[in-house]
């Protein structure tokens, strides 16, 4: 596995390392570590077997409850045999920041170029999750009461 993204965050006043890793022959993992590097939890998404994967991670309140969640966008790729990489699938995940428990997963089936959270929350709904590609921008919302990720207008 290789670390693709690492962020220093605060969880309940404690400094933590949030790691998004990709790998060959697996879907990678999202993990939380304490300030000494000891792993607190790890989550490995299930994706179609692929040659490699990428993982983007964000940390913030996405449901308006004033508690931050972990949001991850994981893409898996396989080679077409002619040297071209082809997306094998992608998932958008929301995890509980304390436990790493999966709160919601949305299979997207295609690769996006980037994922980020909107800079400001909107009226009790938390921050929107933005996925972008070269020609498209999609916005998603997480509803904890329904454990659902839905595309927003």
């Amino acid at each position: 596995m290789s670390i693709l993204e690492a962020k220093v965050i605060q969880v309940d006043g404690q400094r933590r390392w949030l790691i998004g890793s990709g790998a060959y022959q697996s879907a990678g993992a999202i993990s939380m570590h304490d300030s000494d590097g000891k792993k607190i939890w790890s989550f490995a998404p299930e994706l179609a077997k692929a040659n490699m994967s990428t993982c983007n991670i964000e940390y913030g309140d996405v449901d308006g409850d004033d508690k931050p969640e972990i949001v991850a966008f994981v893409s898996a790729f396989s080679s077409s045999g002619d040297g071209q990489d082809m997306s094998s699938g992608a998932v958008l995940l929301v995890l509980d920041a304390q436990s790493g428990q999966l709160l919601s997963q949305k299979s997207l089936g295609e690769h996006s170029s980037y994922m980020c959270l909107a800079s400001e929350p909107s009226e009790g709904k938390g921050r929107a999750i933005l996925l972008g590609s070269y020609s498209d921008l999609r916005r998603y919302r997480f509803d904890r009461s329904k454990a659902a990720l839905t595309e927003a207008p």
Side-chain angles (χ1 to χ4, degrees):
M1 284 213 189
S2 60
I3 293 175
L4 297 173
E5 192 166 6
K7 295 178 184 271
V8 177
I9 60 174
Q10 293 286 324
V11 178
D12 287 339
Q14 301 292 316
R15 181 178 161 181
R16 301 284 186 244
W17 287 91
L18 178 62
I19 307 291
S21 57
Y24 289 101
Q25 305 299 324
S26 82
I30 300 98
S31 58
M32 180 81 67
H33 302 259
D34 68 16
S35 60
D36 293 325
K38 182 181 174 191
K39 189 182 295 183
I40 298 169
W41 57 257
S42 181
F43 179 83
E46 292 184 25
L47 284 173
K49 187 155 177 116
N51 293 349
M52 64 177 283
S53 62
T54 64
C55 180
N56 300 104
I57 51 173
E58 290 290 343
Y59 175 77
D61 179 17
V62 294
D63 62 359
D65 67 354
D66 294 325
K67 295 183 219 168
E69 289 80 32
I70 306 298
V71 180
F73 176 69
V74 182
S75 291
F77 299 89
S78 60
S79 176
S80 63
D82 60 2
Q84 298 293 320
D85 283 337
M86 298 173 50
S87 179
S88 297
V91 292
L92 184 60
L93 307 164
V94 179
L95 305 172
D96 180 79
Q98 290 283 349
S99 66
Q101 174 187 0
L102 178 65
L103 300 174
S104 188
Q105 177 173 321
K106 183 160 188 76
S107 180
L108 301 172
E110 75 269 353
H111 174 70
S112 290
S113 298
Y114 63 90
M115 187 263 308
C116 66
L117 300 182
S119 59
E120 297 291 326
S122 64
E123 300 179 25
K125 293 183 179 179
R127 296 165 64 184
I129 302 163
L130 306 172
L131 286 178
S133 65
Y134 295 110
S135 61
D136 191 25
L137 177 65
R138 294 183 184 178
R139 190 169 70 155
Y140 291 87
R141 292 272 180 205
F142 172 62
D143 183 338
R144 186 183 288 260
S145 67
K146 296 177 184 173
L149 276 160
T150 55
E151 193 165 355

